[in-house]
Amino acid sequence: MPVLDRFRLDGKVAVVTGASSGLGAAFAVGLAEAGADVVIAARRADRLKGTASQVEALGRRCVAVTADVSLPDDCTRVVAEAVDGLGKVDILVNNAGVGTAVPATRETPDEFRRVIDVNLNGSYWMAQACGRVMKPGSSIVNIGSVLGQTTGALPQAAYASSKAAIIGLTRDLAAQWTGRKGIRVNALAPGFFPSEMTEQYPDGYLDAMMIRVPAGRAGDPEELVAALVFLASDAASYVTGIVLPVDGGMLTT
Ligand code: NAP
């Protein structure tokens, strides 16, 4: 098959969590551009409609499911609606995530647990639900962060722990499922990309962080989408268990 065709996702069904804004919306649209039909999930139904319109404008089918990924039953329902509506699940993008910055001596158990519940546990519940129905040739891409491997200049114990745990989850599921079920499991580790999450940073934070980014700038979501399509597609058929940084070189510094 010609090499560029190996990146095509025609006929595939992708589930993207956290597709109501930011990177998740860009992932849903990018997967649709590559040919996939897309199931999108998040808590804000009104915002999912906007993403669904963009996917459908590309001629792809879209099923929007209002769900909280921290709830295992919601994750099961997302996958059931994907199978009911579009027949199968070939690709899962575990993108839903929350970020907080709270000094460790002040962070409450509920604050810490909520971040782990969404970023780590939610990724696992979604992977479990998809892993039960995915056929050989399927692909899971977990969205980690460079902050799983290094630190920012903010107090982010919960977020950093959750994203470091995504690396362990990715490796373990790859070891369990690549050979036995034919499901590849990888992670992306984004650096800094403009989104609702980065809008919450203190004034001047992003500019100050750029000194640690050899590329000297934040990323464009399109640069992350290209890496996602690679990992999701047959172009990466011999790639599993990795964490791919897309960070302008931040992890080299
Ligand atoms: P964002 O715009 O705030 O998007 C977060 C998404 O997650 C939203 O669509 C939100 O939708 C969804 N979400 C949050 N809690 C959820 C829950 N309990 N159940 C279902 N969906 C939930 O931020 P973003 O930057 O695009 O973040 C996307 C992912 O990229 C996150 O995993 C984040 O950690 C990761 N990341 C981002 C950057 C960056 O620079 N932007 C860098 C590294 C990693 P609802 O509120 O509608 O539920």
Side-chain angles (χ1 to χ4, degrees):
M1 188 187 284
V3 65
L4 287 182
D5 290 350
R6 293 178 58 77
F7 290 81
R8 296 283 326 168
L9 300 175
D10 304 292
K12 299 204 186 244
V13 173
V15 174
V16 183
T17 66
S20 57
S21 66
L23 300 178
F27 290 148
V29 171
L31 293 167
E33 284 173 356
D37 294 320
V38 188
V39 177
I40 54 176
R43 294 164 304 173
R44 290 171 295 175
D46 54 327
R47 295 288 299 266
L48 285 176
K49 279 189 194 145
T51 307
S53 306
Q54 292 181 67
V55 168
E56 284 162 357
L58 292 161
R60 308 313 317 171
R61 293 180 294 168
C62 187
V63 171
V65 187
T66 308
D68 179 338
V69 296
S70 70
L71 304 173
D73 287 349
D74 275 23
C75 296
T76 307
R77 186 168 47 79
V78 170
V79 175
E81 292 198 25
V83 173
D84 280 355
L86 299 175
K88 59 178 181 166
V89 177
D90 301 295
I91 296 161
L92 166 64
V93 184
N94 261 325
N95 166 80
V98 287
T100 52
V102 188
T105 48
R106 282 188 233 145
E107 188 158 38
T108 67
D110 281 349
E111 284 172 330
F112 188 86
R113 284 195 189 105
R114 182 65 191 159
V115 175
I116 301 295
D117 240 0
V118 176
N119 296 5
L120 172 62
N121 300 351
S123 297
Y124 190 42
W125 313 143
M126 283 302 306
Q128 285 186 308
C130 287
R132 291 180 186 120
V133 301
M134 280 175 151
K135 299 283 188 288
S138 298
S139 170
I140 295 175
V141 183
N142 296 320
I143 306 304
S145 167
V146 286
L147 297 181
Q149 289 161 278
T150 186
T151 53
L154 293 172
Q156 290 189 288
Y159 186 75
S161 309
S162 74
K163 294 301 185 178
I166 285 291
I167 299 172
L169 181 70
T170 300
R171 289 191 181 134
D172 191 85
L173 292 181
Q176 286 191 53
W177 288 350
T178 302
R180 196 163 63 83
K181 291 167 81 70
I183 303 171
R184 294 180 299 102
V185 186
N186 292 292
L188 284 176
F192 293 102
F193 291 81
S195 72
E196 287 182 16
M197 192 176 278
T198 58
E199 278 166 19
Q200 294 162 20
Y201 287 140
D203 282 350
Y205 172 77
L206 261 187
D207 287 344
M209 288 304 286
M210 288 307 121
I211 197 165
R212 289 181 49 193
V213 179
R217 61 173 175 84
D220 184 310
E222 285 189 358
E223 296 173 304
L224 200 50
V225 169
L228 173 76
V229 169
F230 167 62
L231 289 178
S233 70
D234 292 341
S237 54
Y238 202 54
V239 179
T240 193
I242 70 154
V243 180
L244 175 60
V246 182
D247 64 349
M250 183 175 168
L251 287 179
T252 64
T253 61

mmCIF file of all heavy atoms in Angstrom, residues 70 98 107-121 158 162:
data_model
loop_
_atom_site.group_PDB
_atom_site.id
_atom_site.type_symbol
_atom_site.label_atom_id
_atom_site.label_comp_id
_atom_site.label_asym_id
_atom_site.label_seq_id
_atom_site.Cartn_x
_atom_site.Cartn_y
_atom_site.Cartn_z
ATOM 1 N N SER A 70 -15.343 9.785 34.471
ATOM 2 C CA SER A 70 -14.973 9.268 35.791
ATOM 3 C C SER A 70 -15.989 8.225 36.284
ATOM 4 O O SER A 70 -15.761 7.576 37.303
ATOM 5 C CB SER A 70 -14.834 10.405 36.807
ATOM 6 O OG SER A 70 -16.105 10.951 37.109
ATOM 7 N N VAL A 98 -8.612 17.063 33.161
ATOM 8 C CA VAL A 98 -8.714 18.312 33.927
ATOM 9 C C VAL A 98 -7.340 18.616 34.515
ATOM 10 O O VAL A 98 -6.568 17.713 34.823
ATOM 11 C CB VAL A 98 -9.760 18.221 35.057
ATOM 12 C CG1 VAL A 98 -11.167 18.236 34.478
ATOM 13 C CG2 VAL A 98 -9.558 16.990 35.922
ATOM 14 N N GLU A 107 -3.919 21.236 49.118
ATOM 15 C CA GLU A 107 -4.812 20.452 48.252
ATOM 16 C C GLU A 107 -5.648 19.490 49.102
ATOM 17 O O GLU A 107 -5.112 18.774 49.955
ATOM 18 C CB GLU A 107 -3.988 19.671 47.222
ATOM 19 C CG GLU A 107 -4.856 18.993 46.168
ATOM 20 C CD GLU A 107 -4.070 18.687 44.890
ATOM 21 O OE1 GLU A 107 -2.896 18.317 44.994
ATOM 22 O OE2 GLU A 107 -4.663 18.833 43.798
ATOM 23 N N THR A 108 -6.964 19.481 48.857
ATOM 24 C CA THR A 108 -7.840 18.601 49.627
ATOM 25 C C THR A 108 -7.882 17.219 48.983
ATOM 26 O O THR A 108 -7.627 17.078 47.776
ATOM 27 C CB THR A 108 -9.279 19.160 49.678
ATOM 28 O OG1 THR A 108 -9.820 19.101 48.354
ATOM 29 C CG2 THR A 108 -9.314 20.591 50.184
ATOM 30 N N PRO A 109 -8.242 16.199 49.767
ATOM 31 C CA PRO A 109 -8.382 14.860 49.173
ATOM 32 C C PRO A 109 -9.338 14.863 47.987
ATOM 33 O O PRO A 109 -9.073 14.209 46.972
ATOM 34 C CB PRO A 109 -8.907 14.016 50.339
ATOM 35 C CG PRO A 109 -8.341 14.687 51.557
ATOM 36 C CD PRO A 109 -8.392 16.158 51.240
ATOM 37 N N ASP A 110 -10.456 15.599 48.093
ATOM 38 C CA ASP A 110 -11.415 15.599 46.982
ATOM 39 C C ASP A 110 -10.818 16.228 45.732
ATOM 40 O O ASP A 110 -11.072 15.753 44.621
ATOM 41 C CB ASP A 110 -12.689 16.362 47.373
ATOM 42 C CG ASP A 110 -13.603 15.505 48.236
ATOM 43 O OD1 ASP A 110 -13.329 14.279 48.341
ATOM 44 O OD2 ASP A 110 -14.551 16.056 48.813
ATOM 45 N N GLU A 111 -10.043 17.311 45.900
ATOM 46 C CA GLU A 111 -9.418 17.934 44.719
ATOM 47 C C GLU A 111 -8.453 16.963 44.045
ATOM 48 O O GLU A 111 -8.447 16.818 42.823
ATOM 49 C CB GLU A 111 -8.652 19.201 45.144
ATOM 50 C CG GLU A 111 -9.549 20.389 45.438
ATOM 51 C CD GLU A 111 -8.785 21.571 46.039
ATOM 52 O OE1 GLU A 111 -7.765 21.357 46.739
ATOM 53 O OE2 GLU A 111 -9.218 22.711 45.810
ATOM 54 N N PHE A 112 -7.624 16.321 44.849
ATOM 55 C CA PHE A 112 -6.642 15.386 44.293
ATOM 56 C C PHE A 112 -7.358 14.218 43.614
ATOM 57 O O PHE A 112 -7.045 13.849 42.482
ATOM 58 C CB PHE A 112 -5.718 14.869 45.403
ATOM 59 C CG PHE A 112 -4.555 14.061 44.890
ATOM 60 C CD1 PHE A 112 -3.379 14.676 44.485
ATOM 61 C CD2 PHE A 112 -4.648 12.675 44.802
ATOM 62 C CE1 PHE A 112 -2.307 13.934 43.998
ATOM 63 C CE2 PHE A 112 -3.581 11.927 44.319
ATOM 64 C CZ PHE A 112 -2.415 12.555 43.926
ATOM 65 N N ARG A 113 -8.341 13.654 44.315
ATOM 66 C CA ARG A 113 -9.039 12.480 43.779
ATOM 67 C C ARG A 113 -9.753 12.789 42.467
ATOM 68 O O ARG A 113 -9.810 11.949 41.581
ATOM 69 C CB ARG A 113 -10.083 11.972 44.785
ATOM 70 C CG ARG A 113 -9.498 11.224 45.947
ATOM 71 C CD ARG A 113 -10.579 10.447 46.686
ATOM 72 N NE ARG A 113 -10.038 9.904 47.920
ATOM 73 C CZ ARG A 113 -10.298 10.384 49.134
ATOM 74 N NH1 ARG A 113 -11.126 11.399 49.275
ATOM 75 N NH2 ARG A 113 -9.757 9.843 50.192
ATOM 76 N N ARG A 114 -10.306 14.000 42.350
ATOM 77 C CA ARG A 114 -11.067 14.332 41.140
ATOM 78 C C ARG A 114 -10.161 14.298 39.904
ATOM 79 O O ARG A 114 -10.555 13.797 38.851
ATOM 80 C CB ARG A 114 -11.710 15.716 41.289
ATOM 81 C CG ARG A 114 -12.565 16.123 40.103
ATOM 82 C CD ARG A 114 -13.794 15.222 39.945
ATOM 83 N NE ARG A 114 -14.481 15.433 38.672
ATOM 84 C CZ ARG A 114 -15.312 14.545 38.112
ATOM 85 N NH1 ARG A 114 -15.580 13.399 38.699
ATOM 86 N NH2 ARG A 114 -15.895 14.816 36.969
ATOM 87 N N VAL A 115 -8.955 14.833 40.038
ATOM 88 C CA VAL A 115 -8.036 14.852 38.884
ATOM 89 C C VAL A 115 -7.656 13.422 38.500
ATOM 90 O O VAL A 115 -7.665 13.052 37.318
ATOM 91 C CB VAL A 115 -6.781 15.695 39.218
ATOM 92 C CG1 VAL A 115 -5.774 15.629 38.081
ATOM 93 C CG2 VAL A 115 -7.191 17.149 39.477
ATOM 94 N N ILE A 116 -7.351 12.597 39.491
ATOM 95 C CA ILE A 116 -6.998 11.195 39.209
ATOM 96 C C ILE A 116 -8.196 10.459 38.621
ATOM 97 O O ILE A 116 -8.066 9.647 37.699
ATOM 98 C CB ILE A 116 -6.521 10.484 40.504
ATOM 99 C CG1 ILE A 116 -5.296 11.199 41.099
ATOM 100 C CG2 ILE A 116 -6.227 9.001 40.254
ATOM 101 C CD1 ILE A 116 -4.046 11.167 40.272
ATOM 102 N N ASP A 117 -9.374 10.773 39.144
ATOM 103 C CA ASP A 117 -10.598 10.109 38.694
ATOM 104 C C ASP A 117 -10.880 10.355 37.216
ATOM 105 O O ASP A 117 -11.342 9.461 36.513
ATOM 106 C CB ASP A 117 -11.783 10.651 39.508
ATOM 107 C CG ASP A 117 -12.475 9.560 40.281
ATOM 108 O OD1 ASP A 117 -12.038 8.396 40.196
ATOM 109 O OD2 ASP A 117 -13.455 9.880 40.975
ATOM 110 N N VAL A 118 -10.642 11.574 36.776
ATOM 111 C CA VAL A 118 -10.919 11.903 35.373
ATOM 112 C C VAL A 118 -9.741 11.456 34.500
ATOM 113 O O VAL A 118 -9.912 10.704 33.534
ATOM 114 C CB VAL A 118 -11.168 13.424 35.198
ATOM 115 C CG1 VAL A 118 -11.350 13.765 33.716
ATOM 116 C CG2 VAL A 118 -12.384 13.859 36.009
ATOM 117 N N ASN A 119 -8.533 11.914 34.835
ATOM 118 C CA ASN A 119 -7.400 11.730 33.920
ATOM 119 C C ASN A 119 -6.907 10.286 33.859
ATOM 120 O O ASN A 119 -6.590 9.796 32.779
ATOM 121 C CB ASN A 119 -6.229 12.629 34.345
ATOM 122 C CG ASN A 119 -6.560 14.106 34.254
ATOM 123 O OD1 ASN A 119 -7.699 14.485 33.970
ATOM 124 N ND2 ASN A 119 -5.588 14.957 34.502
ATOM 125 N N LEU A 120 -6.822 9.637 35.001
ATOM 126 C CA LEU A 120 -6.319 8.258 35.011
ATOM 127 C C LEU A 120 -7.464 7.246 34.984
ATOM 128 O O LEU A 120 -7.566 6.439 34.062
ATOM 129 C CB LEU A 120 -5.439 8.015 36.240
ATOM 130 C CG LEU A 120 -5.023 6.546 36.444
ATOM 131 C CD1 LEU A 120 -4.194 6.032 35.267
ATOM 132 C CD2 LEU A 120 -4.268 6.375 37.756
ATOM 133 N N ASN A 121 -8.327 7.304 36.012
ATOM 134 C CA ASN A 121 -9.368 6.279 36.098
ATOM 135 C C ASN A 121 -10.277 6.318 34.871
ATOM 136 O O ASN A 121 -10.635 5.277 34.317
ATOM 137 C CB ASN A 121 -10.187 6.459 37.378
ATOM 138 C CG ASN A 121 -9.329 6.350 38.637
ATOM 139 O OD1 ASN A 121 -8.160 5.977 38.561
ATOM 140 N ND2 ASN A 121 -9.892 6.678 39.780
ATOM 141 N N ALA A 158 -1.338 16.566 41.526
ATOM 142 C CA ALA A 158 -2.408 15.685 41.032
ATOM 143 C C ALA A 158 -2.276 15.487 39.528
ATOM 144 O O ALA A 158 -2.297 14.362 39.023
ATOM 145 C CB ALA A 158 -3.773 16.292 41.381
ATOM 146 N N SER A 162 -1.216 12.057 37.625
ATOM 147 C CA SER A 162 -2.169 11.402 36.716
ATOM 148 C C SER A 162 -1.527 11.169 35.360
ATOM 149 O O SER A 162 -1.747 10.143 34.723
ATOM 150 C CB SER A 162 -3.449 12.239 36.576
ATOM 151 O OG SER A 162 -3.233 13.395 35.785
#
